[in-house]
């Protein structure tokens, strides 16, 4: 398993030469209480969001944004309730990602402990015929296009209180589905990092 620095650009050039998908990954979560953002309101009337009391429940999501010259960018997302994604989940997630994309993959992700765990590294050694892993530099979320995806999703979910996890999951899925159907937005996420695919 090759762990290289995406800032060096070597991995990007090699991935393009080999016809690989360059895939960025990140996790996020949304709570029933929602994200509070500045909003409009009638003068003298403070907007109020009524909560149902179940503040700890969350919908956890993992997203992969995939780029390859000559192909439309793709967004693939999996989500589940309550507990987040751990080292036990990533071999299956990456296997499903490979099946969906149907090609060689260079995966770019951060230094989350589950990504760098011995279990994930050991599993990845057996997948070197299709998988190469590149670590983002520490504390460099600005290099990950998925961070911009989460910003838009959270803006859409902002200032809303959901009655249940299924209702929250449905709203999150609706937001993500809109983005999936907007390739120019996915390309914009990559441009927003300052990174570019070498043609």
């Amino acid at each position: 398993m090759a762990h290289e620095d995406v800032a060096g650009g070597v991995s990007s050039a090699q991935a393009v030469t080999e016809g690989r998908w360059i895939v960025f990954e990140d996790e996020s979560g949304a709570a029933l209480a929602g994200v509070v953002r500045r909003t409009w309101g009638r003068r003298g009337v403070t907007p109020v969001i009524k909560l149902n009391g179940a503040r700890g429940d969350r919908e956890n999501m993992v997203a992969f944004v995939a780029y390859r010259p000559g192909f439309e960018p793709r967004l693939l997302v999996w989500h589940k309730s309550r507990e987040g994604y751990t080292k036990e989940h990533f071999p299956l997630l990456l296997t499903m990602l490979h099946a969906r994309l149907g090609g060689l993959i260079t995966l770019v992700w951060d230094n989350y402990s589950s990504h760098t765990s011995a279990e994930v590294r050991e599993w990845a050694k057996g997948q070197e015929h299709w998988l190469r892993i590149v670590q983002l530099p520490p504390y460099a979320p600005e290099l990950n296009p998925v961070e911009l995806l989460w910003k838009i999703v959270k803006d859409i979910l902002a200032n809303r209180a959901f009655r249940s996890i299924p209702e929250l999951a449905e709203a999150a899925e609706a937001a993500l589905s809109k983005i999936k159907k907007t390739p120019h937005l996915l390309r914009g996420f990559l441009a927003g990092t300052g990174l570019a695919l070498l043609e």
Side-chain angles (χ1 to χ4, degrees), residues 38-115:
R38 182 176 294 182
T39 188
W40 294 98
R42 294 177 59 189
R43 185 186 299 270
V45 180
T46 302
V48 175
I49 301 173
K50 294 183 179 179
L51 304 177
N52 70 356
R55 307 190 100 186
D57 286 347
R58 292 173 61 81
E59 183 72 1
N60 295 288
M61 299 169 280
V62 59
F64 299 89
V65 181
Y67 301 95
R68 184 176 171 188
F71 291 76
E72 291 285 12
R74 295 184 61 186
L75 169 61
L76 299 98
V77 182
W78 284 274
H79 46 104
K80 64 191 186 72
S81 303
R82 295 179 176 84
E83 72 276 2
Y85 289 92
T86 65
K87 60 190 177 184
E88 287 79 19
H89 299 107
F90 285 107
L92 177 58
L93 287 168
L94 295 176
T95 299
M96 293 190 297
L97 174 71
H98 182 221
R100 289 278 196 87
L101 294 178
L104 304 176
I105 293 172
T106 291
L107 176 69
V108 184
W109 62 11
D110 61 23
N111 294 280
Y112 172 42
S113 59
S114 289
H115 297 165

Side-chain angles (χ1 to χ4, degrees), residues 98-148:
H98 182 221
R100 289 278 196 87
L101 294 178
L104 304 176
I105 293 172
T106 291
L107 176 69
V108 184
W109 62 11
D110 61 23
N111 294 280
Y112 172 42
S113 59
S114 289
H115 297 165
T116 59
S117 68
E119 292 87 342
V120 170
R121 285 177 176 268
E122 188 60 34
W123 172 83
K125 284 181 184 176
Q127 320 305 318
E128 289 182 336
H129 56 289
W130 64 268
L131 178 65
R132 180 176 294 129
I133 295 180
V134 178
Q135 299 292 150
L136 285 165
Y139 311 110
E142 70 278 3
L143 294 177
N144 192 340
V146 188
E147 295 283 355
L148 297 175

Side-chain angles (χ1 to χ4, degrees), residues 21-24 63-68 71-77 101 143-153 175-197:
W21 287 95
I22 300 177
V23 182
F24 293 84
F64 299 89
V65 181
Y67 301 95
R68 184 176 171 188
F71 291 76
E72 291 285 12
R74 295 184 61 186
L75 169 61
L76 299 98
V77 182
L101 294 178
L143 294 177
N144 192 340
V146 188
E147 295 283 355
L148 297 175
L149 164 76
W150 293 138
K151 181 181 183 311
I152 288 181
V153 171
L176 289 161
S177 293
K178 277 187 180 178
I179 298 170
K180 284 180 186 179
K181 296 171 185 173
T182 316
H184 73 270
L185 194 54
L186 297 175
R187 286 191 289 270
F189 294 155
L190 184 62
T193 66
L195 301 174
L197 290 182

